[in-house]
Amino acid sequence: MLDSAFRRDAKERPNMRAVTFSRFGGPEVLEVSELPEPQPGPGEVRIRVAAATVNPTDISFRSGRQAAQLTGTGVLPPYIPGMELAGVVDAVGEGTAWHTGDRVMAIVTPRRPGGGAQAELVVVPATSVARVPEGTSLEAAATLPMNGLTVRLALDRLALRPGQTLGVTGAAGAVGGYAVELGVSDGLRVIAVARSQDAALVKRFGAQTLVPRGDAAVRGLHDAAPGGVDGLIDAAVLDAAVLPAIRDGGKLATVRGFAGPSERAITIEPVRVTSYLHNHEALDRLARLVAEGRLILRVAEIFPLERAADAQRKLDAGGIRGRLVIVF
Ligand SMILES: NC(=O)c1ccc[n+]([C@@H]2O[C@H](COP(=O)([O-])OP(=O)(O)OC[C@H]3O[C@@H](n4cnc5c(N)ncnc54)[C@H](OP(=O)(O)O)[C@@H]3O)[C@@H](O)[C@H]2O)c1
């Protein structure tokens, strides 16, 4: 549907600008292209994008590491990266409850014919959209949908009970930070693994204990949760190396596909946020947590779309606290 929306009457419609790439490679393959404006079909909204974030997945997509995921999708270059955005609804298809002018944020997969989030206009299903809380900037709102829903999915898969312990690696990062905050909001006792310099940050998220990252992290998690944590969200992608930190029969949520082998009856839950692409209720609940001040949105730096390559270079270099945001 999006494919035809994208190409139908393309010659007669005005263009929009988007961050694109037409071959896999380094950040230099990114460019700004003019593409025909997409039109919303039934059940879809078109968003005039104010801000879209840069995430590790955009680097994998551009480098070709995710090329296999394009097989059978019919997605052709130019590719548009980006999985989350915020902006203002500027056109609606039939059968949606959204209105022109609504301030919204949305999650989108770039592995579809209509492309990803880093474009002036993006068409998404109405189910991928939530209202931006009043008082929240569109730049900040753009940092929530993809990583917030990833953590919501991870916590849903871990299915821990209030009072149980949750370990979080990479706790100062985008996924890790939300994992600490949403874990706390679910009533869990959160033990965060991060650099010692990030102690104040992860405490602000609500972590009960900070365990310094590195070789002694597993021992530190056992000191904080004797016998091991009940569940762990591994945002630092340590994979098998964190299994010893989890109690017998506990659960591990992984974010880069690690599925085992496991040990001591630990369940491994590989998480893919695309399962929650249409989970409007979950996105809406995340927005409410922001409105209630229980979820902190962090913008590290803002880039114009012409500097998308610089943003990817900066993210790839590591050490960013908060998200890099492209504005349109
Ligand atoms: N499966 C899905 O659906 C899904 C969705 C969203 C994200 N992800 C994945 O989740 C991961 C985290 O994403 P993100 O956006 O949160 O990245 P991020 O903001 O860069 O955070 C990663 C965190 O992990 C830390 N870290 C990196 N290597 C480490 C190591 N060896 N030991 C301990 N800590 C380490 C980093 O610390 P420094 O910055 O100090 O190095 C940083 O705080 C990425 O791999 C991303 O692709 C998957």
Side-chain angles (χ1 to χ4, degrees):
M1 183 176 8
L2 278 166
D3 193 23
S4 56
F6 213 51
R7 296 177 201 283
R8 192 178 353 109
D9 306 327
K11 288 201 187 96
E12 291 139 45
R13 278 192 278 124
N15 281 347
M16 61 152 187
R17 292 185 310 157
V19 177
T20 63
F21 60 98
S22 293
R23 62 188 168 88
F24 299 123
E28 69 283 353
V29 301
L30 293 175
E31 54 193 3
V32 176
S33 300
E34 300 257 337
L35 295 171
E37 290 185 351
Q39 302 298 329
E44 295 178 334
V45 298
R46 184 170 75 181
I47 300 167
R48 182 160 291 283
V49 176
T53 59
V54 179
N55 284 286
T57 185
D58 303 334
I59 295 174
S60 300
F61 186 34
R62 179 264 296 153
S63 71
R65 278 200 295 276
Q66 297 176 347
Q69 293 178 31
L70 292 170
T71 310
T73 59
V75 179
L76 299 170
Y79 304 116
I80 304 174
M83 285 197 71
E84 53 185 2
L85 60 90
V88 175
V89 172
D90 92 328
V92 292
E94 273 172 46
T96 82
W98 295 104
H99 298 99
T100 304
D102 287 343
R103 292 171 82 246
V104 296
M105 56 188 163
I107 180 168
V108 58
T109 173
R111 285 172 290 281
R112 61 168 196 166
Q118 292 172 17
E120 284 177 326
L121 291 167
V122 173
V123 168
V124 290
T127 48
S128 300
V129 176
R131 196 172 295 283
V132 172
E134 268 187 43
T136 300
S137 72
L138 294 175
E139 289 85 354
T143 67
L144 181 62
M146 203 271 287
N147 293 300
L149 285 171
T150 300
V151 173
R152 188 62 264 159
L153 174 61
L155 286 166
D156 290 349
R157 292 279 155 80
L158 292 179
L160 300 174
R161 293 184 307 279
Q164 286 194 296
T165 49
L166 172 72
V168 176
T169 66
V175 170
Y178 290 143
V180 175
E181 292 183 287
L182 291 178
V184 170
S185 144
D186 280 4
L188 305 175
R189 191 162 75 79
V190 180
I191 303 164
V193 181
R195 293 179 195 273
S196 305
Q197 302 93 292
D198 289 317
L201 182 67
V202 299
K203 284 277 163 133
R204 188 157 69 98
F205 296 151
Q208 187 174 77
T209 310
L210 171 88
V211 169
R213 72 182 251 190
D215 294 341
V218 167
R219 194 162 9 98
L221 281 157
H222 274 274
D223 289 344
V229 292
D230 295 305
L232 190 139
I233 297 179
D234 184 22
V237 197
L238 305 179
D239 293 343
V242 292
L243 285 169
I246 301 169
R247 71 161 165 81
D248 296 359
K251 288 188 182 170
L252 168 64
T254 64
V255 290
R256 278 280 177 116
F258 176 70
S262 187
E263 60 187 40
R264 297 175 293 108
I266 293 167
T267 305
I268 301 179
E269 300 276 2
V271 163
R272 277 193 162 278
V273 71
T274 43
S275 321
Y276 271 12
L277 271 187
H278 303 288
N279 196 334
H280 164 74
E281 288 74 23
L283 189 53
D284 210 37
R285 279 201 303 277
L286 291 171
R288 282 206 297 276
L289 288 175
V290 172
E292 291 163 9
R294 294 161 73 193
L295 210 45
I296 300 166
L297 305 180
R298 295 179 291 157
V299 174
E301 193 173 338
I302 290 176
F303 293 78
L305 79 164
E306 293 82 3
R307 292 191 57 220
D310 289 339
Q312 286 203 1
R313 285 188 192 97
K314 191 154 192 171
L315 179 64
D316 211 15
I320 306 292
R321 298 294 175 259
R323 200 87 293 182
L324 305 175
V325 175
I326 296 177
V327 289
F328 292 84

